[in-house]
Amino acid sequence: MERERLGPWCSPTGSPAPLSCETGCGEGSWILVYRLLVPTQVSLLSMEEDIDTRKINNSFLRDHSYATEADIISTVEFNHTGELLATGDKGGRVVIFQREQESKNQVHRRGEYNVYSTFQSHEPEFDYLKSLEIEEKINKIRWLPQQNAAYFLLSTNDKTVKLWKVSERDKRPEGYNLKDEEGRLRDPATITTLRVPVLRPMDLMVEATPRRVFANAHTYHINSISVNSDYETYMSADDLRINLWNFEITNQSFNIVDIKPANMEELTEVITAAEFHPHHCNTFVYSSSKGTIRLCDMRASALCDRHTKFFEEPEDPSNRSFFSEIISSISDVKFSHSGRYIMTRDYLTVKVWDLNMENRPIETYQVHDYLRSKLCSLYENDCIFDKFECVWNGSDSVIMTGSYNNFFRMFDRNTKRDVTLEASRENSKPRAILKPRKVCVGGKRRKDEISVDSLDFSKKILHTAWHPSENIIAVAATNNLYIFQDKVN
Amino acid sequence: MLGKGEKRKFDEHEDGLEGKILSPSDGPSKVSYTLQRQTIFNISLMKLYNHRPLTEPSLQKTVLINNMLRRIQEELKQEGSLRPVFASAAAAAAAAAASPPSGAPGGPKPEDPKLMDSLPGNFEITTSTGFLTDLTLDDILFADIDTSMYDFDPCTSASGTASKVAPVSADDLLKTLAPYSSQPVAPSQPFKMDLTELDHIMEVLVGS
C-alpha cells in the first residue's frame, strides 16, 4: 500500500492511528452513531399527542426531502456531564437529546441520543421603533451545572436571554375531592366524603418551563452568553456591550464592558464573542472584529473597559491583502477546560493562545488555507462573514472546527496531526467509519480528493460540540444533527 | 458558486483579481492592483446600499465593510492625483455591475451622490455626514457621468436608449476599460485603446 495515499493521521502500516487523548478511547477512527433530523414544525404538532417522547425518536429517521429554514440548527451544546445535548434552531426551538442509558441487553445502544424534550424558546418579535423584526433564531445555549433533579439552561436570541427549567414528571396526583378523574369540577353538594389525594405513577413526561426572562438590556445583537463559575451570575455580550446578570434578578444587569464610541461614525471595531474563565469567577475574555482578545478582571474596576491583558498577533506582511482585517475577525473564543489556554477562530485559522503570552499564539492551525486565493469571491457572496465556532475535547488535546462542503476538521495538539471529515447523508451509514477527506489545491486531482472549485459553500458547518469527557461529537449540518463517536473495539 | 456574476479577470498576469495583492508601486501590476481595489470598492458599496433586510443588518458586517471602504478611500487620497477619467469610469463600472431592476425596488442607485454622504441607517447617524464627506473626492467621483446607458430604474420615462435594460454591450465595456490601459487619458480626449489590449479583451469576451 502506497504510503502517500494514506491521510496524514494514519500510521505507516495503514491502520488508523489513535488521536492522542487521555480519556481512554484509543482508536482514532470516527464512526457515525446517529444522524438525527431535527423535527420540522409539521411533525412537532403530531408529536404533542404522544405522552412518551422517547418513542418519537424513531420517527426522526424518516427522510424529509425538504428542509424549512426554521429547521436550520444554529447552536449545539452538551451539558456538563454529557448526558444531555441541546440544539437551538432558526425557528426559535430548542430540542434536547438524552443519552441512552447503559443496559445489559442492548450494549451497542449505549451512546445513542434520543429526543428528551422540545420546546419553543423564543418567538419572533417586532421592534416598532426601528420597524425591524427581531429574529427568534437561537444564537446560543449554555447549560447550568446540575444542582437538583431538574436541568437548567440559558437560551438567547438577538435580544432576550431566557432561563429554562427542564424537569421530569412521572407521578400524578389522583383522588381530588373537588375535581373528578377528568378534571371537571364536581358539584359540592354531591360530595359526602373527603379523601387525601395520592400520587400514582404515570408515563414519563418532560416539561420545560421558562423560569426567568432577561430582556431589554441589549441594543445590539447578542452574540454570546457565558455562565460564571460561581453559578450565580452570567454574562451576555452584544456587538458593543457586555452585561453581567444575576440569575435571580431579571430587571437589572451590570454593564461591564462598553466599547460604543460617543460618535458612532468612529466605530471601527465590535465585540464578537465573550466567555468567562472556567475557574476564576472574576476573569473573562472577549474577542473583537480586529482579531484581538482582551482579558479582563472584574475586581479591577466596575467597568472593565481597560483590559488586564491584550492578545494580538502582529500581521504577517507577506499575507497582506484587502481582506486582512475581515479574515482576522474572530468568530469564536473558548477557554480550555484547564483554563490555561484560549482558542480563537478566525476565517482561515484556529489559534491557541497561552494566557501568559500576549504577543502571539502558541499554535496556529490552518483550517482551509486554500480559500486564501478566493477571498474576493467569498467577500462578494458574503461567505467571508461566516462565523465558525471551535471546540476543545475534554482533555484539551484535540480541537475541532467546521468548514465548507460539510467538512469539519480536527487537530491533535500533541501529535500535530489533523484530519478532515465529512458530515453528509450520502457518505454515512450508521456505524460506518468516516473516511478522511482531502481538498486538492491545484495540479493533479487524485481519486477521492475534491477540488477547491467543487466545494459547496452553502453547506457550512458552523456549530459543533464535543462531549465533556468522551470522544463523542455533535456536528450540525444545516438541519441535520450528526453524532459521531470514536470507534471502540 | 464561486465567482458567480463576476467578470472573468482579463489581466494578463496570473494573479489577477483573486491573486495576492501587489503593492501599488509595482509598475505593470499597478493596473491589476487598481482594478482589484476598484472592484472591491464597488462590491462594498453595493453591499451597504443595495440590501434591504427585514431584520436589522449585522453591525459587525457593516463595520467591516465600512472599514474596507475607508481604507480604500485613504489609499486613494494618499495616491494624490486622482484622475477624473478613472473616477468616472469607476462609477460607470459600478453602475454596470449594479443589480437588475427587479432587485431592490426603491433601493438607491450607487451613483446617487446624496447616498454617498450617509452611513447605513443602523449607525444611528442623524446628520448627513458620512465617511465620504470629502468634497473633492465627491466632485471627482461623480463628475461627468453619463448614466443614461445604465439607468436601470423602470420608473423613469422612456428617454433613454433602447439599451436601457439590455446588458452592457461590448463597446461600453471597452469604454470602461480604457482607463486601465497603460497610457493616461485626459477626460476631454476620446478614449484611446491599445490594439493589443483590445485584442486581448475581445478574446476574453468571445471565449467566456
Side-chain angles (χ1 to χ4, degrees), chain B residues 23-97:
Chain B
S23 77
S25 57
D26 291 12
S29 314
K30 182 176 167 59
V31 166
S32 161
Y33 176 85
T34 313
L35 174 62
Q36 182 167 20
R37 181 175 62 191
Q38 190 56 55
T39 308
I40 294 171
F41 188 84
N42 299 340
I43 293 172
S44 305
L45 282 178
M46 275 169 45
K47 278 188 189 304
L48 285 183
Y49 294 108
N50 278 3
H51 187 46
R52 277 296 168 106
L54 293 166
T55 58
E56 223 169 326
S58 155
L59 185 62
Q60 181 199 359
K61 196 165 139 189
T62 311
V63 165
L64 289 171
I65 298 172
N66 263 301
N67 289 351
M68 174 81 85
L69 288 165
R70 276 197 185 112
R71 228 176 299 125
I72 294 179
Q73 187 192 9
E74 271 308 309
E75 255 186 43
L76 291 172
K77 266 191 198 159
Q78 274 171 14
E79 277 176 10
S81 56
L82 285 168
R83 295 177 302 186
V85 167
F86 164 74
S88 69

Side-chain angles (χ1 to χ4, degrees), chain A residues 32-47:
Chain A
L32 171 65
V33 171
Y34 225 32
R35 190 183 60 107
L36 300 153
L37 289 165
V38 180
T40 63
Q41 301 286 1
V42 171
S43 64
L44 193 61
L45 289 171
S46 58
M47 196 168 80

